Amino acid sequence: MKVAVCVKRVPDIAEADVRVDSTGRDVVRDRFQFTINEADNYALEEALLLKENHEAEVTLVTVGGAEVAEVLRMGLAKGAARAVRVDSAGLEESDAANLARVLAAYFRQEEFDLVLCGAIAQDTEDSQVGPALAGYLDRPHASYVVKLEPSDEAMTVKRELEGGLLEVKELPLPCVVTIQTGGNTPRYASILGIKRAGSKPVDELTIEGLGLAAEEYGAAGSKTKLLKLYAPEVTGTAEMIEGDVPEKAARVAAVLKERGLL
Amino acid sequence: MSGVLVLIEHRQGAVRDVSWEMLAAGRKLALELGTGCAAVLFGGDEAMAASAAGRVEQVIHARHELLADFNYEAYQRALVALVRERGASVVLVAHTAFGADLGPSLAVALDCAVVSDAVGFAKSDEGLVVTRGLYASKLCADRLVPAMPVVLMGRQSNFKPDEPGVGGAVEAWDPAGVLAEPLRTRFITLEELPVTGIDITKAEVVIGVGRGVKEEANLVPVRELAEALGAVLAGSRPVIDAGWLEKERQVGSSGKTVKPKLYIALGISGSFQHVAGMKGAETIIAVNKDPRAPIFSVAHYGIVDDLLKVVPALKQKLEEMKS
Ligand SMILES: Cc1cc2nc3c(=O)[nH]c(=O)nc-3n(C[C@H](O)[C@H](O)[C@H](O)COP(=O)(O)OP(=O)(O)OC[C@H]3O[C@@H](n4cnc5c(N)ncnc54)[C@H](O)[C@@H]3O)c2cc1C
Ligand SMILES: Nc1ncnc2c1ncn2[C@@H]1O[C@H](COP(=O)(O)O)[C@@H](O)[C@H]1O
């Protein structure tokens, strides 16, 4: 079974100071730390489990600039056999659905039985690429999957619905599945894996090489356009408790007492 | 003319509340666009159609064996046909597990735009401007949709449902023509979480722990504080994903909704998926070392500090007060 995992390099934003740059349409990136998108890390783990238990061959696929190399190396170190990078030059104005179209052009050149994506990219948060890619490839899909089990020519998946409910479905291969966090425990790369990663192939492709016409990608190929990014209005009326730690603790305790919460 | 079609989501025999939110959003959007709004109910029963008709002028109800359970393929085929037949300009689905499974591929099938996590809309000279959140709720984006139709995936717990009392009409629509071909994917069953006896929804005081707790060992002082307060421990998704707390303790859109008297958020950033599950708490206290963390927008009291320092200090203070 040939399995592709679509991975995106993203900033680690939980503790980052996210600011809009002077264009008003992008974020200031120089102080970010970058990693593999969290859901993609779970998708990669799911692929590596398929490799170990079902002899799958795992390929990483990414659209990005040269700086993505580090993320690819980590994935190769964990056990992917090879990587493919489609250079993102020309895709600056692409929306998520258009990115799916670009990926679809690649997946028409090389067939995979299973394409795994993350459920959502933690920066742009579209959760569109997997299902839209399936749409462009005319393949069945399932999103928000936390467990997969291959059988002959098919894949049984568990999708996470709200409130802890799971939906069990069966999809024929080839198909596209998006992986939600929490279904497995992503491994760390071993020292040996890191040593081996350097000799694994990384294929470099360009948009032109995918045979897309100019009106099929970038601003021309996107059906939505980013007008502006901005910080949300601060709607809260929270009382910010100041002071040193004991003073803060004392104030909280007093509030709890006032409100009858003790 | 019903230019805005709102998909009604139902599960296990009941319409999901999020659909009433979407219906209210759809009606507002229809006004903005100068068109009508219709609810689209696939599967379900007459009672569901009737309750939808209490909230919108028109309900389009299609029943078919392939529409009995949610399946994006069946829903997609039926919606493509319906959009084309009616010349609809917007399909609004909720950005839920169902909506997110359906929305993007529906847009591909319709060869149209799709916008995720929509929280607001406005008409402009150039088209429809859709506002959405991103970067872990730290930023908003305005996206322009120059040409209709568009598939919008609306954010849950963001739009206020309208009061029922509209008295709309229910129209039966026959999807048999587009559902003649078999589906490729097959629904097998729904699986519930195992019943374990943990129920965070009944607790009066809940302490929610987020990724800011950093490692499992740091839960020890948090548990001590919970004991001092008589609180139940809950967590954000990353803490559950890491296996530090049981799944039943997850607060948020894919976990539980809690409405305790007091919710203390420790090291939780305040993504909308988490906030959806706790914003109904009477008093919310948030501890986060990032002064710009979105959690402070829903909190009543905020502390910008290291939770690992605040937690033991608070526990100590509470014990002093007791003795
Ligand atoms: C379909 C879907 C469903 C989801 N469902 C849920 C859900 O049900 N529930 C849920 O919670 N999430 C859910 N999520 C995930 C959600 O998007 C966020 O990723 C998650 O809520 C973030 O959790 P967090 O706030 O604990 O972590 P982070 O966003 O990583 O935030 C950690 C916070 O801790 C702070 N911090 C760090 N160190 C300290 C310290 N020493 N002291 C004080 N503060 C500190 C940081 O400043 C930061 O704000 C869902 C996502 C998707 C895509
Ligand atoms: N630039 C990219 N390169 C490869 N895969 C991507 C890229 N952007 C998004 N994806 C994949 O699509 C998933 C969902 O992204 P999104 O729809 O943007 O939220 C991610 O988790 C990745 O698996």
Side-chain angles (χ1 to χ4, degrees), chain B residues 60 116 138 191:
Chain B
I60 301 169
S116 310
K138 289 184 174 181
E191 243 179 57

Side-chain angles (χ1 to χ4, degrees), chain A residues 11 13-20 26-27 29 32 38 42 93-95 97 120 122-128 131-136 138-144 146 156 158-172 180-184 223-246 248-259 261-262, chain B residues 9 11-12 16 70-73 76 95-98 100-102 104-105 108 111-117 126 129 131-147 153 156 184-193 205 211-212 214 229 237-238 241-242 247 253-256 261-262 264 269 272-273 282-283 285 289-290 292 296-305 309-310 313-314 317-318 321:
Chain A
I13 35 195
E15 294 180 33
D17 190 7
V18 181
R19 306 234 175 218
V20 180
D26 205 349
V27 293
R29 292 169 192 278
F32 283 158
E38 187 179 22
Y42 282 88
E93 301 280 320
S94 284
D95 64 12
I120 188 168
Q122 70 200 40
D123 53 356
T124 46
E125 296 193 86
D126 282 299
S127 58
Q128 290 180 12
L133 170 64
Y136 283 116
D138 192 24
R139 288 191 191 158
H141 73 261
S143 57
Y144 292 7
V146 287
T156 304
K158 288 190 182 174
R159 300 183 59 225
E160 189 185 80
L161 309 184
E162 291 76 17
L165 206 61
L166 295 173
E167 181 190 16
V168 188
K169 279 190 90 166
E170 191 184 77
L171 291 82
Q180 172 61 302
T181 58
N184 57 42
K223 294 184 164 69
T224 71
K225 181 181 164 197
L226 178 64
L227 295 178
K228 61 171 177 171
L229 284 174
Y230 50 99
E233 218 179 295
V234 180
T235 49
T237 48
E239 174 193 324
M240 298 309 285
I241 297 174
E242 312 285 345
D244 62 16
V245 170
K248 283 171 174 160
R251 173 75 187 123
V252 172
V255 165
L256 296 182
K257 194 155 182 221
E258 272 166 38
R259 297 206 162 201
L261 292 164
L262 290 183
Chain B
E9 222 180 89
R11 182 187 294 161
Q12 296 172 308
R16 303 193 63 228
F70 170 84
N71 179 304
Y72 84 88
E73 277 191 281
Q76 181 170 313
H95 195 148
T96 52
F98 281 178
D101 207 36
L102 169 69
S105 59
V108 173
D111 192 24
C112 77
V114 50
V115 185
S116 310
D117 189 33
E126 286 147 284
V129 178
T131 301
R132 46 157 315 192
L134 69 181
Y135 281 87
S137 306
K138 289 184 174 181
L139 292 182
C140 293
D142 283 354
R143 289 205 88 93
L144 176 70
V145 179
M153 306 201 280
Q156 187 167 8
R184 295 180 290 187
T185 63
R186 189 168 65 88
F187 170 80
I188 298 175
T189 187
L190 290 182
E191 243 179 57
E192 310 258 1
L193 273 182
V205 181
R211 181 149 43 196
K214 293 282 181 0
L229 265 172
R237 182 165 186 131
D241 285 348
K247 182 77 184 167
S253 58
S254 55
K256 296 284 165 62
K261 288 195 169 140
L262 172 64
I264 304 184
S269 61
F272 73 90
Q273 290 100 338
E282 268 172 51
T283 300
I285 301 179
K289 63 178 190 188
D290 174 7
R292 294 177 72 219
F296 292 125
S297 289
V298 291
H300 303 103
Y301 297 91
I303 295 182
V304 178
D305 214 320
K309 293 188 183 132
V310 174
L314 180 56
K317 187 76 206 167
L318 293 174
M321 285 164 77

Side-chain angles (χ1 to χ4, degrees), chain B residues 228-244:
Chain B
L229 265 172
V232 161
L233 214 55
S236 67
R237 182 165 186 131
V239 170
I240 311 299
D241 285 348
W244 299 342

Side-chain angles (χ1 to χ4, degrees), chain A residues 95-115:
Chain A
D95 64 12
N98 185 243
L99 195 97
R101 192 173 179 180
V102 170
L103 282 167
Y106 166 69
F107 286 116
R108 282 198 200 97
Q109 291 188 351
E110 182 167 4
E111 289 267 337
F112 288 86
D113 303 297
L114 175 67
V115 177

Side-chain angles (χ1 to χ4, degrees), chain A residues 207-219:
Chain A
I207 300 298
E208 292 74 27
L210 294 180
L212 284 165
E215 67 275 11
E216 292 179 308
Y217 63 86

